[in-house]
Amino acid sequence: MDNIISKNIIYSKFFILLSALAKNLLGTFNAIYLYKQGFSLTLVVSWQLTVYICYMIFQPFIHRYLYKFSNKFLMVISFLFFLSAYLKLIFDLHTTFDLIVNAILFGLYANIYWNVRHSLEFKTLNDKKIGRKVGIILIISQISEILASLISAFILDNFSIIPLFITSSILMLISLIYVFMLKEKRRKPPKESIFKYFKTVPKTTLFHIFLKEASTVMSHFFSLYLFLYVSNTYSFAGLANFFLGLAGIIFTYFLSKKIDEKRESYLLFCTVLICTVYLLKINITSEFVLIVVFMEGFIKQFFNVVSNNNYYLLGHNLEKTTYICGYELFINFARVVILFVGFFLTGSLPKLMYFCIGLLILSGFLPFKIKK
């Protein structure tokens, strides 16, 4: 039994690494690619808003019917939606309607992918050494982001998106091999309603999670921000992601081993640091922003390790499917509200960035409570 569990953990990590690399190769510069295809800034933001809304709509169905299917079947379906989304992006994206259809396809692929990935991550984690194990997962993700940023920026600047699509599809297909090597138990139907998530999680924690999602919204548009206000090439945005990821790996490796104690004492401190760096980053419109981005890599991972520890610890209070689906439903509701208020009521990408920074500062003052 222990041998099977150990193999499952190894296979899960290979799946996470390869699938994250495949996903980031195409997903890192989605906003820039859409903008360069001639869509307005408002439509590009609307594409991301539609993806968030799709997450919200699909989660109740995933919670209700996920147990009927194996991870193998789910990842095959996710892969087919992945192919459909990017084939439409490359060959059939002309109108606003096409853009919305593409966002829905993308939302379906990403929704299934993240539910499977989160369920595999939970199986490799326990409360005793959660900080160290979360650190390993973060480092795996960061390695994939670094490689993806450099490779995709080079290919997009010098060739076209087609070789990138082929490479990404092959990597995603290889990652599925490791999912098929997993030994799975038959799932049982969930006993808890998805809405139990909102009854179980403390209200202050929900508010903290809501405000913290401002960081995700910022990250989805920062590459486009660099493209519009600093340097209009994929390579510069890719280089910025490289510095961000490299610093993050160094910091995560050393911090995650020590973060299992006194997590909460770090929260306000790292929130203030990350917001200070964000303010510097969006006010420097030259190549010196790379220095700030490198600093951000250290501080952002400080923030991520603390908050991700809390995420996995909180998940022990509910059935895993209920927790994952409830969490995904709530954070995407938060992203919709933040994006709508921060961009559509202001019409400005820089104002969206400032709005997100303000929300992050507030999150540092709210405790992340976990019911024992």
Side-chain angles (χ1 to χ4, degrees), residues 59-71:
Q59 281 306 319
F61 293 98
I62 287 177
H63 178 261
R64 179 65 181 83
Y65 299 108
L66 186 73
Y67 78 94
K68 296 184 178 217
F69 307 103
S70 67
N71 286 330

